[in-house]
Amino acid sequence: SSGINQSTGKFAVRGIHRYRLYGVVDHSGSLNHGHYIAYVRKRDTTIDDCMERTVPLGERIRLLGQINSESTAGTKKDDWYCCNDERISSVNVKKVLSADAYLLFYERVSPSVT
């Protein structure tokens, strides 16, 4: 099955690939005039470490699954930031998921398993 989990912002496609929402662009106003706000998730460098080619595939899958289940347990307030002109502030994931999204940015958080 495919779809976005409304409480975590994670997207799964047929259970093979897992994606994590890391950025949302919100636009308010009209086509001619308006204002953009960006919501950005704090980068988890553990994912980068897990994707190193020196780590065996089985271990990468295990570590990424662990990271994914830990982040499912609850998103802390400081995991997301609202960038509104020169103001940057911490927000919770509910604020991000309730935005009128104009653009969504995802990253793959687990390798394809066939």
Side-chain angles (χ1 to χ4, degrees), residues 7-65:
S7 64
T8 64
K10 292 187 181 142
F11 186 76
V13 179
R14 286 182 262 147
I16 297 172
H17 302 285
R18 295 188 64 110
Y19 295 86
R20 180 170 54 183
L21 182 68
Y22 73 88
V24 175
V25 176
D26 185 358
H27 178 262
S28 59
S30 67
L31 292 174
N32 296 327
H33 298 88
H35 184 71
Y36 291 93
I37 296 173
Y39 296 97
V40 183
R41 177 178 277 211
K42 182 178 176 182
R43 180 88 176 136
D44 184 352
T45 57
T46 311
I47 292 171
D48 297 332
D49 296 341
C50 289
M51 296 309 288
E52 290 288 326
R53 295 215 181 267
T54 57
V55 177
L57 179 61
E59 181 65 6
R60 278 189 268 166
I61 293 170
R62 186 189 71 73
L63 290 170
L64 288 167

